[in-house]
Amino acid sequence: VQLQASGGGLVQPGGSLRLSCVASGSIFSINVMGWYRQAPGKQRELVATITSGGVMYNAESVKGRFTISRDNAKNTWYLQMDSLKPEDTAVYYCNCDATMVAGTSLTRNGYWGQGTLVTVSS
């Protein structure tokens, strides 16, 4: 699976951004889609996930501000980020748990996108 993340940029505190991640390849199914972030000098942390059945998880730090969603038909998921704060500044990575077609068999693995930078600053 190849993941392509987009939508990052510079935004003022209180502003909004929408990140997108598109998966491509010999995909049988995408079981879990998610977003992680890594701020300078910090470890990568989970931001939000959504399962194939639509069950969502949000980290406490983003609850009420960020919303994850998915479009199964397009193998795409999104992270709507509202009320952004300077502490949200980070490189955001998309991630998925997917089942791929490999010849005549199926294989399930985790995959990462390349990251998109979000900077929240006035």
Side-chain angles (χ1 to χ4, degrees), residues 10-17 65-66 80-88 119-122:
L10 173 64
V11 63
Q12 292 186 340
S16 298
L17 280 176
R65 302 188 298 120
F66 292 9
Q80 177 66 42
M81 304 185 294
D82 299 316
S83 302
L84 282 160
K85 304 176 181 179
E87 51 263 43
D88 295 318
T119 303
V120 185
S121 175
S122 55

Side-chain angles (χ1 to χ4, degrees), residues 37-118:
R37 67 185 181 186
Q38 187 166 19
K42 295 187 176 181
Q43 290 188 332
R44 191 173 298 188
E45 63 175 359
L46 174 63
V47 176
T49 60
I50 185 167
T51 69
S52 58
V55 177
M56 294 178 283
Y57 165 83
N58 287 304
E60 195 63 37
S61 59
V62 305
K63 279 184 179 178
R65 302 188 298 120
F66 292 9
T67 304
I68 189 169
S69 61
R70 62 188 288 170
D71 184 333
N72 291 334
K74 297 180 179 179
N75 287 331
T76 300
W77 58 106
Y78 309 94
L79 185 68
Q80 177 66 42
M81 304 185 294
D82 299 316
S83 302
L84 282 160
K85 304 176 181 179
E87 51 263 43
D88 295 318
T89 295
V91 177
Y92 284 71
Y93 297 90
C94 56
N95 165 273
C96 74
D97 175 321
T99 300
M100 303 293 292
V101 177
T104 59
S105 62
L106 300 176
T107 181
R108 182 172 178 172
N109 278 305
Y111 301 89
W112 290 92
Q114 84 287 2
T116 184
L117 177 62
V118 172

